[in-house]
Amino acid sequence: MTKRIILFASGNGSNVENICNFFEQNPSVSIVGVFTNNPKAGVIERAKQFNVEVHVFNKKDFTKGYLLEKVVKIKPKLIILAGFLWRIGEDWVKAFPKQIINIHPALLPKYGGKGMYGEHVHHAVKANKESETGITIHYVNENYDEGAIVFQKKVVLTENNSVAQIAAKVHELEYRYFPEIIAQLLEEVPNEV
Ligand code: GAR
């Protein structure tokens, strides 16, 4: 039985591309949609390369339940936030308990919360002269970056690492581990869900 997954992203989409690559040769997992709130997002072209259907939605679709209705019909095993910047509402968390995961580019609970995304996180890490950073993959609840942690991986920083170098180190971890963790979680989700 094929396990359907969908991906949400707001920007560049390099993680989405990496996940699509990872599962391309895996007949038991099917990426049935990429959803974005940003009609100019790089993720749109990246997803199209894999012939994955792209859905662009607006705030109203998202907050009034129209999009949720559409996604419920797809019956995805997992909803994966890969660089998606809007807060997920309680209606989504209730409809998909323990089926929505997010990747965050830092070691939560550090550097999480509203406004802490992408480059902003790396700038803050640099400003605080942290000796390490990393990635966190976690279940999503109604608060930004607060759901139960599934996986974390650290990387060492040196004092002279630039923001761009910190970002590159974090992206490397994301590409290496995110698809594998998704695959592991898919093993755990019961088939009847
Ligand atoms: C990734 O580093 C991801 O961890 C981060 O956005 C980046 C998206 O890059 N997500 C967040 O900051 C969520 N709070 P990508 O579009 O190239 O995959």
Side-chain angles (χ1 to χ4, degrees):
M1 194 180 169
T2 308
K3 292 182 171 172
R4 285 183 301 281
I5 61 175
I6 61 173
L7 306 171
F8 276 66
S10 299
N12 185 20
S14 68
N15 274 284
V16 165
E17 180 170 357
N18 183 53
I19 294 164
C20 288
N21 258 319
F22 184 89
F23 287 109
E24 200 175 28
Q25 304 303 331
N26 183 340
S28 63
V29 175
S30 178
I31 300 173
V32 293
V34 165
F35 290 76
T36 184
N37 58 301
N38 177 1
K40 294 191 179 133
V43 70
I44 295 173
E45 285 312 309
R46 291 184 192 259
K48 282 184 182 165
Q49 289 171 39
F50 294 88
N51 292 322
V52 175
E53 202 174 327
V54 177
H55 307 259
V56 180
F57 59 89
N58 59 31
K59 199 93 203 179
K60 195 172 154 199
D61 297 331
F62 191 60
T63 53
K64 298 273 181 205
Y66 309 135
L67 186 66
L68 178 56
E69 212 173 289
K70 191 165 162 178
V71 167
V72 165
K73 283 191 190 132
I74 297 173
K75 293 196 178 149
K77 294 278 178 210
L78 273 184
I79 298 174
I80 296 146
L81 313 185
F84 181 61
L85 302 182
W86 287 358
R87 193 173 62 80
I88 295 293
E90 212 182 325
D91 48 348
W92 285 78
V93 179
K94 280 207 176 112
F96 292 101
K98 281 207 147 190
Q99 285 178 275
I100 311 176
I101 59 165
N102 178 48
I103 191 158
H104 188 77
L107 298 168
L108 291 174
K110 283 177 133 183
Y111 303 105
K114 196 166 164 46
M116 271 294 168
Y117 60 88
E119 295 289 302
H120 298 285
V121 174
H122 309 311
H123 277 282
V125 165
K126 170 82 184 160
N128 287 338
K129 301 185 169 48
E130 294 284 358
S131 59
E132 61 182 21
T133 187
I135 59 169
T136 303
I137 297 166
H138 64 95
Y139 288 111
V140 170
N141 68 13
E142 8 358 281
N143 301 318
Y144 271 118
D145 305 325
E146 283 185 15
I149 292 174
V150 177
F151 177 87
Q152 289 189 303
K153 194 79 189 177
K154 290 177 183 173
V155 64
V156 171
L157 300 177
T158 60
E159 229 174 276
N160 55 1
N161 275 153
S162 65
V163 170
Q165 285 167 330
I166 296 172
K169 283 183 171 182
V170 169
H171 264 127
E172 203 177 304
L173 290 182
E174 294 185 328
Y175 303 151
R176 166 79 181 76
Y177 292 103
F178 200 17
E180 276 186 18
I181 297 297
I182 294 167
Q184 276 174 31
L185 289 174
L186 283 170
E187 294 290 313
E188 291 167 18
V189 182
N191 262 336
E192 62 279 8
V193 173

